[in-house]
Amino acid sequence: MRKQRTLREEIKASGIGLHTGKKVEILLQPAEENHGVVFYRADKDVYIDAKRENVVDTTLATTIGKDGAVVKTVEHLLATLYGLHIDNVLITVWGDEVPIMDGSSAPWVYLIKTAGIREQGAYKKEIIIKKPVKIKEDGKFVALIPSKRFEIQYAIQFDNSFIGKQKISLVVNERTFIREISKARTFGFVRDIEYLQAHNLALGGSLDNAIVVDEYGIVNEDPLRYEDEFVRHKVLDAIGDLSILGYDIKAKYLAYKSGHDLNRKLISKLLEDRDAFEVVGNPYRERVVGSFVWAPQEENG
Ligand SMILES: [Zn+2]
């Protein structure tokens, strides 16, 4: 079990919202122990915890919201915070979407590494999966099964012959997140983009923030960052979605053609089954005797 962490310095950034196409300013600030990841819609004066009960939409991207205020496309930033173990942060946005940056987590990793990370006193709670939780739907599959570590095994299969079938299996930690996952960009198909933009979606989408694919290959001039960048981006999205649990995850996540919507259903199914998981807190029990004596005592092995 590790200690909680926050940023050493605040981070200011701005960029384009993928779906709204609008310019958004964003500010990430250090926060105290047990604060969690909280968004603040400055223009509406509403705080939105990055928690399951505030996930209001999962079509195309993950949207959180409360009291009529929403923040769209939170998953890449949330994935970065989870991947780098930033537990406590206040994220102020002057708009309704997190900037898409380059479509990956790499710019967030760079900004956070530059700002620095500060370890705090309190321990980060862990969620331990005790029995498998699965969802099968329309030829898609997703599951969480017991494991001592956070592992991901992901497979995708697209009709598109350029992407085809890709699969990846890895243990998620700070190092693997940065090296294997963080640079993978979001992607879309030429035919879908025309449809989306006709419906006022993906208005900010461009070759600067997405890999665009047609039947023959990628439309972008710059090459893929990983040979299997597509499945790696799906892993990035899944980490962001699962981070909504608010705990360090001790489980193996299995997915076949999953997405934000199925991840959301999986989390709900898990949390509704009290026998399926356990949340473990501080490994030491603090006992205050008089005013200052503190006797650590091991708990949970
Ligand atoms: Zn994504």
Side-chain angles (χ1 to χ4, degrees):
M1 186 168 280
R2 64 176 180 84
K3 294 280 185 71
Q4 295 180 18
R5 312 209 295 178
T6 188
L7 301 171
R8 195 172 285 281
E9 308 276 350
E10 63 180 42
I11 295 168
K12 254 188 188 154
S14 64
I16 298 291
L18 175 64
H19 292 292
T20 54
K22 285 185 233 158
K23 193 185 170 195
V24 205
E25 309 238 323
I26 186 165
L27 173 69
L28 279 62
Q29 291 174 292
E32 70 275 10
E33 292 171 9
N34 301 314
H35 176 279
V37 175
V38 179
F39 286 84
Y40 175 58
R41 270 290 299 267
D43 51 327
K44 296 213 164 191
D45 191 25
V46 178
Y47 290 87
I48 311 165
D49 283 297
K51 286 200 174 143
R52 176 182 74 122
E53 57 268 29
N54 293 331
V55 175
V56 292
D57 189 24
T58 45
T59 40
L60 302 173
T62 298
T63 299
I64 58 168
K66 209 178 140 188
D67 301 334
V70 298
V71 182
K72 297 174 192 166
T73 322
V74 293
E75 61 270 21
H76 303 161
L77 177 54
L78 290 184
T80 316
L81 295 172
Y82 186 94
L84 268 52
H85 299 318
I86 307 295
D87 309 295
N88 303 309
V89 59
L90 178 64
I91 305 163
T92 301
V93 274
W94 287 265
D96 64 357
E97 192 169 10
V98 171
I100 189 67
M101 314 303 266
D102 72 348
S104 80
S105 278
W108 296 119
V109 170
Y110 172 78
L111 290 167
I112 290 169
K113 286 286 183 184
T114 305
I117 297 168
R118 182 163 61 83
E119 192 176 88
Q120 299 172 292
Y123 285 89
K124 179 69 180 177
K125 286 184 181 171
E126 295 176 347
I127 185 163
I128 295 163
I129 305 305
K130 292 167 73 183
K131 68 175 201 195
V133 179
K134 303 173 188 175
I135 295 183
K136 251 186 194 170
E137 207 178 273
D138 306 330
K140 300 171 184 174
F141 172 78
V142 67
L144 281 165
I145 63 172
S147 169
K148 287 194 168 123
R149 307 175 293 181
F150 183 25
E151 298 173 77
I152 291 185
Q153 193 175 308
Y154 211 120
I156 54 173
Q157 186 155 22
F158 282 88
D159 291 336
N160 180 285
S161 58
F162 182 72
I163 300 179
K165 197 173 177 178
Q166 300 189 346
K167 65 176 185 185
I168 190 168
S169 185
L170 81 164
V171 172
V172 182
N173 56 42
E174 190 174 347
R175 189 178 146 273
T176 58
F177 179 80
I178 293 172
R179 291 166 67 138
E180 311 290 341
I181 301 301
S182 73
K183 295 191 282 288
R185 290 163 294 171
T186 192
F187 58 95
F189 299 92
V190 171
R191 56 165 199 273
D192 294 341
I193 291 165
E194 287 163 4
Y195 173 86
L196 289 171
Q197 295 191 335
H199 290 78
N200 278 336
L201 289 161
L203 295 175
S206 77
L207 297 174
D208 293 331
N209 55 36
I211 310 168
V212 179
V213 187
D214 65 13
E215 300 98 277
Y216 310 104
I218 59 170
V219 176
N220 309 53
E221 278 181 19
D222 49 328
L224 290 177
R225 296 174 177 180
Y226 307 97
E227 208 180 317
D228 53 355
E229 190 168 350
F230 305 97
V231 72
R232 288 175 194 249
H233 186 79
K234 298 297 283 183
V235 170
L236 194 161
D237 281 341
I239 293 171
D241 287 344
L242 292 172
S243 77
I244 287 284
L245 285 165
Y247 306 113
D248 272 359
I249 299 159
K250 303 290 171 194
K252 184 167 186 175
Y253 167 85
L254 304 165
Y256 176 67
K257 296 168 97 172
S258 180
H260 300 303
D261 189 47
L262 219 51
N263 290 337
R264 176 197 197 178
K265 288 178 183 163
L266 180 70
I267 289 171
S268 295
K269 191 171 177 185
L270 168 72
L271 296 179
E272 279 156 20
D273 185 351
R274 281 297 323 179
D275 298 330
F277 70 95
E278 183 184 9
V279 173
V280 181
N282 194 328
Y284 300 104
R285 186 179 297 137
E286 293 175 15
R287 199 167 282 166
V288 179
V289 180
S291 59
F292 65 92
V293 182
W294 176 73
Q297 187 184 322
E298 267 208 270
E299 198 182 77
N300 304 312

